[in-house]
Amino acid sequence: YCIPIIQSILVQNESKTADSKNEIQSVILVPTKELAKQVSNFLKELTIYCGKHVKVVNLNDIENNQLLTAVLNDRPEILVSTPSKLLNVLEEHSDVSLMELKYFVIDEVDLMLSYGYDEDLEKLSNFLNLKQHMQVFMMSATLNEDINTLKQKFCNKAAILKLQDLDNQNKRLLQYYVKTSEYDKFLLIYVILKLNLIKGKILVFVNNLDRGYKLKLFLQNFGIRSCILNSELPINSRLHILEEFNKNVYNLLIATDESNEYDDDTEAEVGESTTDASMLDHGKDVEDNKSAKKLGKKSNDAKDYSTSRGVDFKNVACVLNFDLPSSSKAYIHRVGRTARGGKSGMALSFVVFKNEWGKHKASSLPSARKDEKVLAKIERTQKKLGYEIEPY
């Protein structure tokens, strides 16, 4: 969505008169601070030769109120923000107007709802002129029925675009599973790492904070270096760790993914692809709809954090699901961190036997009780996409 927005702003700027007043033309909403940083950095790379004409501001980067006022007074063309931060800015700076907005983007739109941002989005709609000619983009790799309320609120005659890879690069993703006991998970990952059975950088997913630290300490005992990423860490630390991993300072990153927000009992026939799908719309007269809140709000930390969604981990050779996610859609987002940009990759998942669950309390995980059931759903979903998950 970045390239067409920049292109349109540049075309509009050409037709401006010298005394024309600058207005904020585009707002890009993302669910996490990491994604806000990533999107704004990408936009700045794209506008390196036209930065004077297309100014980009990441609101989550600015804590000082005086600096924020000065930046907003300059009327940057593009604002990047999380919904809560943008709402705070609009409520505290009454002179900032979005009534002339031309482009409104909600990235990772399904995650916005599961993180409890629907109330913020409802309030933000009051600051927008939904009756004017405004183009709306809603982006996600897995679009589902949960976003219908937002679609009805912000869009009129929405078109669904599924963006497929022309070179079919995702067929380069090999997927495997290992059935094991909870206790033997730790032995398995030790053997795999010590024998160098996987070449290249590995992104390991666990399902809660304690698991991440427990696994890191376990590997540390055997001289295996790793870094850890979770919602307890300050945003600057998370960005630093991501940068170190991308620069190959660390080849093993243990990421806590607490965003198992999907309910597979209501699994929709959507996605059909691990690449981006989008809805875009020219919003005019839109009826007011009540916000249908299916899921409760998460903590502020969880709301500002997700490693399985959108974050650009570079050159990941393998995604290792030490803990299997609780749904097939969460699995799609995790394994989407590898086999990117035409490169090959591997996904390996540890699956706990149902009859082995709970036998070793110290290594037990509540979600592992349904591992075999979740694996069956993952296999069905991946088969529809043209993949096979094989025993490792």
Side-chain angles (χ1 to χ4, degrees):
Y1 53 81
C2 292
I3 293 173
I5 288 173
I6 292 169
Q7 170 73 8
S8 302
I9 290 172
L10 288 172
V11 170
Q12 287 172 22
N13 284 349
E14 283 180 3
S15 60
K16 272 186 182 179
T17 58
D19 57 347
S20 293
K21 185 184 175 184
N22 267 6
E23 293 293 345
I24 297 166
Q25 297 187 47
S26 176
V27 164
I28 299 170
L29 295 181
V30 292
T32 68
K33 292 174 182 176
E34 284 94 339
L35 278 179
K37 186 82 171 175
Q38 187 172 296
V39 170
S40 59
N41 286 346
F42 181 68
L43 282 163
K44 284 169 184 174
E45 286 179 20
L46 289 177
T47 58
I48 193 166
Y49 297 112
C50 56
K52 290 181 181 178
H53 305 288
V54 186
K55 295 184 288 295
V56 179
V57 171
N58 176 8
L59 294 181
N60 290 88
D61 254 0
I62 306 172
E63 296 297 333
N64 184 293
N65 202 45
Q66 288 182 326
L67 177 60
L68 182 60
T69 302
V71 168
L72 292 172
N73 284 342
D74 198 29
R75 294 293 185 269
E77 279 76 12
I78 302 175
L79 295 181
V80 182
S81 179
T82 56
S84 52
K85 177 69 175 180
L86 179 62
L87 188 59
N88 288 340
V89 168
L90 292 172
E91 289 173 344
E92 292 173 12
H93 297 78
S94 56
D95 56 325
V96 176
S97 173
L98 300 182
M99 288 299 174
E100 299 300 318
L101 208 64
K102 299 289 192 302
Y103 312 100
F104 184 64
V105 180
I106 307 177
D107 201 357
E108 299 291 358
V109 61
D110 52 334
L111 197 63
M112 289 285 193
L113 295 176
S114 61
Y115 275 24
Y117 276 128
D118 44 343
E119 285 181 10
D120 292 335
L121 290 168
E122 177 71 28
K123 290 176 183 175
L124 282 172
S125 67
N126 298 324
F127 291 91
L128 302 173
N129 184 358
L130 294 174
K131 293 184 179 181
Q132 75 163 8
H133 189 77
M134 180 175 69
Q135 191 171 27
V136 178
F137 299 79
M138 293 185 182
M139 318 292 295
S140 179
T142 49
L143 295 174
N144 55 44
E145 291 179 1
D146 293 347
I147 66 166
N148 282 344
T149 304
L150 285 183
K151 189 164 65 170
Q152 291 168 359
K153 181 72 181 175
F154 293 103
C155 302
N156 178 39
K157 297 180 181 177
I160 298 177
L161 306 181
K162 290 186 178 181
L163 310 181
Q164 305 288 352
D165 283 321
L166 295 178
D167 62 354
N168 216 10
Q169 70 183 39
N170 285 296
K171 297 298 179 188
R172 302 183 187 190
L173 174 64
L174 301 174
Q175 300 179 62
Y176 301 99
Y177 68 88
V178 179
K179 287 196 175 182
T180 178
S181 69
E182 293 174 303
Y183 185 63
D184 285 341
K185 275 187 183 184
F186 291 87
L187 173 62
L188 268 172
I189 195 169
Y190 163 75
V191 169
I192 287 167
L193 295 174
K194 272 295 184 183
L195 296 181
N196 289 319
L197 298 181
I198 298 170
K199 307 294 182 186
K201 294 200 293 187
I202 305 172
L203 179 58
V204 180
F205 280 110
V206 293
N207 283 0
N208 64 41
L209 292 165
D210 287 346
R211 300 282 284 180
Y213 289 115
K214 194 175 284 186
L215 180 57
K216 179 178 169 57
L217 290 170
F218 172 79
L219 296 175
Q220 197 170 294
N221 285 330
F222 301 101
I224 298 172
R225 289 177 74 243
S226 65
C227 56
I228 200 159
L229 197 59
N230 61 47
S231 60
E232 274 193 347
L233 299 170
I235 179 64
N236 288 339
S237 298
R238 300 202 299 256
L239 292 171
H240 176 70
I241 290 163
L242 179 59
E243 189 179 349
E244 295 277 276
F245 183 69
N246 284 340
K247 287 180 177 176
N248 302 325
V249 176
Y250 290 93
N251 286 327
L252 180 64
L253 190 150
I254 301 168
T256 303
D257 176 29
E258 298 173 280
S259 66
N260 291 309
E261 68 273 9
Y262 302 108
D263 180 4
D264 262 335
D265 293 332
T266 57
E267 192 170 321
E269 298 289 331
V270 298
E272 312 304 323
S273 162
T274 54
T275 57
D276 283 338
S278 68
M279 289 186 303
L280 54 91
D281 163 72
H282 300 282
K284 293 177 186 173
D285 295 313
V286 182
E287 289 184 8
D288 220 356
N289 287 300
K290 289 184 180 179
S291 181
K293 193 168 188 178
K294 284 186 75 175
L295 297 162
K297 277 204 174 189
K298 297 194 173 192
S299 69
N300 287 334
D301 281 339
K303 209 171 145 177
D304 273 349
Y305 171 81
S306 173
T307 47
S308 66
R309 305 292 296 267
V311 177
D312 189 16
F313 296 100
K314 296 187 188 299
N315 302 318
V316 175
C318 174
V319 168
L320 198 159
N321 289 311
F322 187 81
D323 297 327
L324 196 68
S326 60
S327 76
S328 60
K329 292 194 185 97
Y331 176 86
I332 285 174
H333 286 286
R334 284 190 187 184
V335 301
R337 304 302 98 207
T338 187
R340 298 165 73 87
K343 294 179 178 148
S344 59
M346 181 178 92
L348 174 61
S349 301
F350 293 168
V351 180
V352 175
F353 286 102
K354 188 177 179 181
N355 61 353
E356 290 287 336
W357 181 81
K359 286 186 177 179
H360 188 261
K361 297 295 182 187
S363 59
S364 188
L365 183 72
S367 65
R369 186 177 189 176
K370 296 182 178 179
D371 271 9
E372 288 187 297
K373 183 180 176 183
V374 172
L375 176 65
K377 289 179 178 175
I378 290 171
E379 287 179 313
R380 286 200 299 272
T381 305
Q382 293 300 310
K383 194 169 185 179
K384 290 175 188 174
L385 305 178
Y387 300 104
E388 292 290 336
I389 305 181
E390 299 173 1
Y392 183 60

